[in-house]
Amino acid sequence: MKSFSYTPATDVPSALEAARTEGATFLAGGTNLVDLMKLGVATPDVLVDINRLPLRDVTELPGGGLRIGAGVRNSDLAAHPLVRRAYPVLSQALLAGASGQLRNMATTGGNLVQRTRCRYFMDMTKPCNKHTPGSGCPAREGDHRNLAVLGASEHCVATHPSDMAVALAALDATVRVAGPDGERDVPVTELHRLPGDTPQDDTVLRPGELITAVDLPPLEFARVSAYRKARDRASYAFAVGAVAAAVHAEDGVVVDVRLAFGAVAHKPWRAYAAEEALRGRPATREEFLAAADAELSAAVPLRDNAYKVPLIRNLVSATLARLTGAHQ
């Protein structure tokens, strides 16, 4: 591991000031960053420790909704009574992620900015456009079974690994950011980028910017929500496909719905086309499958990951059927 210096920060202004140093990186739980440092993928010169920042509260917002501090640990957020009651999809997504030990360390902000990656990105002996732009994407012809079928480019087919971020995308969450130029709000659906020609840029965050909180809107029908994850083993494993859903149905008709997919793209994939296809339609398995088809018509699978298309299709149908009580 490359040598580095360590700077603890006690408040947001001191953290932002320390991050002005060239080569500085924020350190929270370190569950992704430290792994990347051990592998030589991440080589920061300065670690700015933000664990002492007062960002560990979950509070109700005046107009409804919740504000989640960026330092809230994943395990604490999953168990929070307000989250479990009003946004069960988020609690379920968190509990589906990683292991209990990692959830005890990982933070809300850190989970959002973990690197979009594949096995070639994690191996510095292999070419990868994410760590060496222009070197190529061997995953396209190599091991891509668990990689992107939506929104990929010739430069990268990696998938974003977060479960939590998929639920936040379905919930229309907003990310609060502080940086050298002040504070700004970023919709979580716009925080992560598709690879395009610059797959090395995972998010729209600017140098020195720090996520301070995530705001959840007052979405009443989010109480009827769920996260469903398919993976190769039931214990600690990344998704091969996932669906976050919240639905409002009355008299057998879908009034409103929120859907997002995980493990299919370089970012959490908000399924706007599927949502539009469902609103005002009967809450039946046939309609759920048709809506999934509307979203997945844009999929461009590679040699070994075409199974993800029917997988997501069936996850959408099963999740919505359970939430609405549909039987056909």
Side-chain angles (χ1 to χ4, degrees):
M1 183 184 292
K2 172 191 168 185
S3 62
F4 57 89
S5 61
Y6 170 84
T7 302
T10 56
D11 54 34
V12 172
S14 65
L16 296 178
E17 182 60 32
R20 290 179 179 271
T21 304
E22 186 175 355
T25 298
F26 295 117
L27 172 69
T31 57
N32 182 218
L33 175 61
V34 174
D35 282 346
L36 296 181
M37 291 173 65
K38 290 176 180 178
L39 294 170
V41 179
T43 56
D45 295 311
V46 180
L47 289 183
V48 181
D49 189 335
I50 56 174
N51 282 287
R52 296 174 180 81
L53 271 57
L55 302 174
R56 292 200 177 191
D57 294 326
V58 178
T59 56
E60 295 186 76
L61 294 170
L66 296 179
R67 175 162 294 166
I68 303 164
V72 175
R73 305 291 172 175
N74 285 180
S75 55
D76 293 334
L77 185 58
H80 198 285
L82 291 175
V83 174
R84 294 179 63 187
R85 181 171 67 249
Y87 306 94
V89 63
L90 177 55
S91 179
Q92 292 170 22
L94 286 159
L95 291 173
S99 64
Q101 295 93 331
L102 288 172
R103 292 195 297 270
N104 288 340
M105 289 298 297
T107 63
T108 300
N111 188 300
L112 285 172
V113 298
Q114 64 180 300
R115 295 302 306 269
T116 299
R117 54 197 187 267
C118 75
R119 64 180 299 177
Y120 299 99
F121 171 74
M122 302 292 283
D123 185 347
M124 291 300 293
T125 68
K126 301 292 192 296
C128 172
N129 287 321
K130 288 183 70 65
H131 57 61
T132 309
S135 63
C137 178
R140 293 188 64 86
E141 298 297 329
D143 182 4
H144 55 248
R145 176 181 174 273
N146 194 28
L147 302 186
V149 297
L150 289 167
S153 76
E154 62 179 312
H155 302 288
C156 184
V157 291
T159 47
H160 194 270
S162 174
D163 296 289
M164 182 195 78
V166 181
L168 292 178
L171 293 170
D172 286 318
T174 299
V175 179
R176 298 176 60 85
V177 177
D181 299 321
E183 298 181 349
R184 65 185 180 118
D185 293 341
V186 180
V188 76
T189 52
E190 298 175 14
L191 176 67
H192 302 96
R193 299 180 61 260
L194 293 178
D197 296 334
T198 55
Q200 68 273 20
D201 298 325
D202 289 339
T203 72
V204 299
L205 293 178
R206 301 162 188 160
E209 285 193 322
L210 172 68
I211 294 176
T212 58
V214 174
D215 287 356
L216 297 179
L219 188 66
E220 183 62 29
F221 70 87
R223 293 173 182 267
V224 183
S225 63
Y227 184 76
R228 192 151 184 169
K229 175 179 180 176
R231 46 189 162 182
D232 287 331
R233 60 183 185 274
S235 59
Y236 177 22
F238 291 127
V240 295
V243 170
V247 62
H248 174 201
E250 290 184 5
D251 300 323
V253 174
V254 176
V255 178
D256 206 352
V257 63
R258 300 288 187 275
L259 285 171
F261 303 160
V264 297
H266 203 261
K267 61 181 287 183
W269 188 270
R270 179 66 180 270
Y272 292 111
E275 292 176 3
E276 186 60 28
L278 279 170
R279 292 188 182 100
R281 302 296 299 172
T284 65
R285 290 182 179 272
E286 182 179 54
E287 293 289 345
F288 301 155
L289 290 170
D293 288 341
E295 191 70 46
L296 294 166
S297 64
V300 184
L302 298 173
R303 182 190 65 242
D304 298 328
N305 65 358
Y307 75 94
K308 289 197 173 196
V309 175
L311 174 64
I312 293 294
R313 185 176 187 264
N314 290 327
L315 285 175
V316 169
S317 176
T319 305
L320 291 175
R322 183 167 71 83
L323 291 174
T324 61
H327 298 294
Q328 57 181 349

